[in-house]
């Protein structure tokens, strides 16, 4: 049977069941996501007792999840709870009732565990080595500071989007005066931690409120690609969304695209928290992590075979996953990468085209996924490659770098490149676009040199003869198919180098000499 894993997250605002399936790469892929808006925080009394009605709502949500987990025949479902049940004085009774009446056993996370799992999700799904994380729940807010991908400090604040609304907002949406009170209260809370102030680091936000903020911003700016993980905003972007939302009536808020209807009354207080933290930290940017607490729990479980809970390289894991999912020929990729590095270094040494070390990094990445769209359709492999890479979440790559990768790895010709880059013209200068087009043309040429995947081209030497470029290709067997493809694709390089290219193929004998 296919390996499936389930986790239930009992939050103060929502309860959620997520079911994952282990993919070819060994990584977990989400296949079911069932949400119940329980708002358990509203059933917590002043004496910190969860009322009978609250317990009934909790059990009803779990019964709903139980039907799904039984359908999937899941026998071992993790079930965790956060702030509201952690604060409930009758939590032991609740845990007992759930165990007696359902298939689930609740594990109530400590403040440290809740913060730690959020941190773990961030460092295993981004390439950030230092930053501040924030996870706004319904009843608590966890912040952490990590450096060199290690957790340095953490704190759990006794407020969340739902509790802030209950404490400061009398209607469905806050007035200007109520927002000021929220800001003043949250500022005081954040300023109580010296390690937060003026850190000048990126803020990485986790959770539903952060997702909604990003989704609304993407709609407002007609964002051209899919995906929210690692989406970046700055202070002005946060303020823009806040101004837009505070200008709407509650009825209009409930219809805002990108905003969950059940968060319409919570989103503005949550954004006030994000803005206040941004100002406290004097942050450089605000980044969304779609991976959160639930992912952190599974990262802890499934990476332990490495002797650590943190991936050595997030990006390498992502490319491994792509290779597995699209059945890429790893030996072919390695050989083409070797060839394209030889071409790149000699072109740079001869000053034929301005190239940098950053360009080489980009080129190596693109070599791993060049024309992976062939997996879907050979004839339209360029189009599929661009769409997949531009729109698929690639942990460790920003959205801008993802589009760069897509443009290089899908290169077909100048006309098609211009079609692909058109929605992103404001993202890249003309010089950057030219650079990406050259890297794509170079990679396409390198792939033509291993057309039959026999690794026949072993060495490359480039010379300048009478202002023309002479490329010597040293082979260990017949090169006819490679010669045909290379002659066909060299024109893209000729146009960009503004020089004619002549190809000369040579045999290598067994001792490595030319004959």
């Amino acid at each position: 049977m296919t390996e499936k894993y389930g986790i239930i997250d009992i939050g103060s605002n929502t309860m959620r069941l997520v079911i994952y399936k282990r993919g070819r790469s060994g990584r977990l892929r989400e296949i079911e996501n069932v949400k119940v808006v329980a708002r358990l925080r509203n059933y917590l009394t002043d004496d910190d007792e969860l009322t009978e009605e609250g317990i009934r709502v909790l059990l009803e949500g779990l019964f709903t999840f139980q039907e799904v987990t039984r359908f999937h025949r899941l026998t071992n479902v993790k079930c965790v709870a956060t702030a509201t049940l952690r604060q409930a004085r009758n939590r032991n009774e609740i845990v007992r009732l759930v165990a007696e009446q359902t298939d689930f056993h609740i594990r109530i996370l400590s403040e440290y565990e809740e913060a730690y799992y959020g941190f773990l999700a961030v460092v295993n799904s981004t390439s950030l080595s230092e930053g501040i994380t924030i996870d706004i729940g319904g009843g608590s807010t966890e912040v952490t500071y990590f450096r060199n991908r290690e957790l340095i400090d953490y704190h759990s604040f006794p407020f969340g989007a739902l509790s802030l609304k209950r404490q400061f907002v009398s209607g469905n949406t806050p007035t200007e005066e109520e927002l000021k009170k929220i800001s003043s209260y949250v500022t005081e809370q954040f300023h109580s931690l010296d390690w937060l102030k003026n850190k000048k680091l990126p803020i990485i936000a986790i959770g539903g409120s952060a997702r909604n903020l990003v989704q609304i911003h993407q709609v407002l700016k007609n964002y051209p690609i899919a995906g929210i993980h690692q989406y970046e905003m700055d202070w002005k972007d946060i303020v823009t969304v806040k101004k837009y939302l505070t200008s709407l009536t509650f009825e209009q808020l409930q219809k805002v695209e990108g905003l969950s209807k059940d968060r319409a009354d919570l989103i503005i207080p949550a954004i006030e928290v994000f803005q206040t933290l941004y100002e406290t930290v004097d942050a450089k940017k605000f980044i969304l992590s779609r991976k959160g607490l639930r992912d952190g729990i599974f990262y802890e479980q499934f990476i332990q075979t490495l002797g650590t809970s943190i991936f050595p390289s997030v990006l390498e894991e992502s490319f491994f996953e792509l290779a597995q999912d699209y059945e890429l020929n790893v030996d072919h990729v390695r050989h083409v990468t070797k060839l394209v590095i030889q071409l790149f270094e000699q072109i740079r040494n001869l000053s034929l085209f301005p190239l940098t070390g950053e360009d080489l990094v980009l080129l190596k990445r693109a070599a791993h996924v060049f024309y992976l769209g062939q997996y879907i359709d050979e004839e339209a492999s360029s189009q599929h490659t661009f769409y997949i890479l531009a729109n698929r979440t690639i942990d460790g790559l920003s959205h801008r770098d993802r589009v760069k990768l897509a443009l290089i790895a899908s290169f077909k010709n100048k006309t098609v490149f211009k079609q692909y880059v058109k929605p992103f013209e404001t993202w890249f200068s003309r010089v950057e676009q030219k650079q990406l087009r050259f890297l794509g043309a170079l990679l396409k040429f390198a792939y033509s040199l291993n057309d039959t995947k026999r690794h026949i081209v072993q060495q490359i030497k480039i010379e300048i003869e009478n202002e023309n470029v002479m490329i010597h290709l040293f082979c260990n067997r017949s090169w006819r198919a490679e010669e045909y493809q290379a002659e066909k694709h060299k024109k893209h390089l000729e146009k960009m180098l503004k020089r004619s290219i002549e190809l000369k193929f040579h045999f290598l004998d067994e001792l490595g000499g030319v004959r």
Side-chain angles (χ1 to χ4, degrees), residues 178-300:
E178 287 170 339
L179 264 185
K180 286 180 182 176
K181 289 180 180 178
I182 291 174
S183 177
S184 177
Y185 169 75
V186 173
T187 298
E188 184 181 351
Q189 292 284 318
F190 286 153
H191 278 248
S192 68
L193 299 180
D194 287 337
W195 54 265
L196 270 185
K197 290 185 283 187
N198 300 314
K199 213 66 176 183
K200 294 180 170 57
L201 289 171
I203 291 170
I204 307 95
I206 300 164
S209 295
R211 284 196 302 274
N212 279 204
L213 168 61
V214 160
Q215 286 164 182
I216 295 165
H217 188 249
Q218 287 185 337
V219 171
L220 290 178
K221 66 185 296 189
N222 295 312
Y223 199 60
I225 57 173
I228 57 174
H229 183 56
Q230 298 167 122
Y231 184 79
E232 297 181 7
M233 298 172 67
D234 59 22
W235 183 85
K236 288 181 180 178
D237 295 328
I238 295 171
V239 172
T240 296
V241 176
K242 188 177 85 168
K243 283 183 177 177
Y244 166 62
L245 296 180
T246 52
S247 72
L248 304 176
T249 66
F250 183 63
E251 288 70 26
Q252 291 171 325
L253 262 181
Q254 291 177 301
K255 297 174 183 176
V256 168
E257 192 171 346
L259 175 61
S260 300
K261 189 175 180 180
D262 59 272
R263 286 189 188 274
D265 60 336
L266 305 180
I267 189 64
I268 296 172
I271 291 175
E272 193 66 36
V273 175
F274 292 136
Q275 183 183 337
T276 304
L277 181 63
Y278 199 108
E279 292 163 354
T280 302
V281 173
D282 191 15
K284 297 303 178 186
K285 53 190 168 184
F286 178 94
I287 304 169
L288 177 79
S289 171
R290 188 175 178 274
K291 309 290 176 70
L293 181 145
R294 294 182 297 274
D295 304 274
I297 290 171
F298 278 120
Y299 281 133
E300 180 183 58

Side-chain angles (χ1 to χ4, degrees), residues 126-180:
T126 74
S127 291
L128 296 164
S129 60
E130 187 176 19
I132 302 289
T133 72
I134 179 171
D135 184 359
I136 302 179
S140 68
T141 294
E142 280 67 44
V143 294
T144 75
Y145 164 53
F146 65 92
R147 185 178 64 237
N148 297 326
R149 303 181 73 211
E150 292 182 357
L151 182 61
I152 305 298
D153 285 300
Y154 81 96
H155 189 77
S156 180
F157 290 100
F159 63 82
L162 191 56
S163 61
L164 285 173
K165 178 184 178 294
R166 288 182 65 189
Q167 185 176 347
F168 293 102
V169 183
S170 55
N172 285 319
T173 57
T175 63
E176 189 174 337
E177 188 61 34
E178 287 170 339
L179 264 185
K180 286 180 182 176

Side-chain angles (χ1 to χ4, degrees), residues 339 342-343 346 449 457 459-462 471-474:
L339 296 179
Q342 289 185 49
L343 288 166
Q346 292 183 61
L449 298 178
V457 178
Q459 295 173 29
I460 300 172
K461 185 178 181 182
I462 301 178
I471 301 181
H472 297 276
L473 302 148
F474 301 96

